[in-house]
Amino acid sequence: MKDINNILLPKSSSNEELEDLSRKVFLPLFEENLFIIKHEFIDNGIDYRLEIKNNNLKLGFGLNFQLKSTDSIIANNDGSYSKNIETSNIEYLLNNGQPAFYGLYIKGKNQILYVDLNEAIKTLYEKDHDWEVQPNHTLRFNKELNKKNIQLIYKKAIDHGNMLRTINYKGSIFSPAV
């Protein structure tokens, strides 16, 4: 039998290590009394689905998070960081109908910055009305994912959930049965 150090084994990749580090920073940011975090095992463009809790009630409201990472420590002139995102991923998040966010883990700072999908799409649209034709886009991340901003994300998910509930309720009353 060969020495364990002299056999062919899979090697760890820097991408896997970055992903693992980003998870370790991301998950503890969300309080268990406010969020149920559901990791997506098949990553079609969403890493985490977060269900909202309020007063110990599971509301059924939620949000989606796609977590990216970088080992770059070079910020843009305005202090933001940039990451290239495929248009297909932006479209996929948009199709899910819940508030969605991109997070960017910056290894050198051990920090996660984020961008709201709606803000990203608005910026893309303002630059080019035909943004959906391009294969990818560079998004700029400048907001820190911290307790204060997570409270804003939480409120947005509750407001959005209430709006959808109202639409679904009215639709149930006024739409014909199938």
Side-chain angles (χ1 to χ4, degrees):
M1 185 162 106
K2 289 187 176 182
D3 175 23
I4 195 78
N5 294 312
N6 294 322
I7 61 175
L8 296 175
L9 293 169
K11 293 184 179 181
S12 179
S13 73
S14 60
N15 204 31
E16 286 174 344
E17 291 171 6
L18 269 176
E19 197 174 301
D20 190 42
L21 287 171
S22 68
R23 246 190 323 270
K24 288 177 181 175
V25 172
F26 179 80
L27 293 173
L29 293 172
F30 294 88
E31 296 179 35
E32 289 181 23
N33 64 322
L34 300 177
F35 298 94
I36 300 168
I37 300 174
K38 301 172 183 179
H39 185 277
E40 291 290 294
F41 292 103
I42 299 173
D43 185 357
N44 290 321
I46 295 173
D47 288 320
Y48 297 97
R49 295 185 187 272
L50 288 82
E51 186 175 340
I52 301 298
K53 293 180 359 183
N54 189 26
N55 295 323
N56 211 26
L57 298 173
K58 299 173 185 177
L59 302 182
F61 302 165
L63 60 110
N64 298 312
F65 236 102
Q66 177 66 22
L67 192 55
K68 303 290 186 182
S69 55
T70 182
D71 54 7
S72 172
I73 56 170
I74 301 170
N76 298 316
N77 289 337
D78 63 359
S80 67
Y81 286 79
S82 295
K83 184 71 175 173
N84 195 35
I85 307 288
E86 293 179 0
T87 301
S88 61
N89 184 252
I90 297 169
E91 296 279 19
Y92 184 77
L93 280 176
L94 182 62
N95 282 352
N96 274 270
Q98 293 184 318
F101 302 86
Y102 284 102
L104 179 64
Y105 172 72
I106 301 155
K107 181 181 178 184
K109 296 178 89 177
N110 198 38
Q111 176 186 48
I112 297 177
L113 301 179
Y114 77 97
V115 64
D116 183 318
L117 177 68
N118 290 347
E119 292 173 19
I121 290 173
K122 182 179 179 184
T123 300
L124 293 174
Y125 182 80
E126 287 171 350
K127 288 181 184 175
D128 180 4
H129 289 354
D130 292 326
W131 68 270
E132 293 171 286
V133 189
Q134 293 176 235
N136 51 48
H137 297 278
T138 300
L139 300 185
R140 292 175 84 100
F141 295 78
N142 61 3
K143 296 179 189 168
E144 183 181 357
L145 191 61
N146 56 29
K147 287 189 184 287
K148 177 185 169 199
N149 287 331
I150 288 174
Q151 284 300 316
L152 296 173
I153 290 169
Y154 178 83
K155 182 174 178 353
K156 179 175 184 164
I158 286 183
D159 291 346
H160 188 83
N162 278 320
M163 177 194 67
L164 282 180
R165 186 181 194 295
T166 300
I167 291 168
N168 290 339
Y169 181 77
K170 298 288 184 182
S172 296
I173 294 170
F174 297 110
S175 66
V178 180

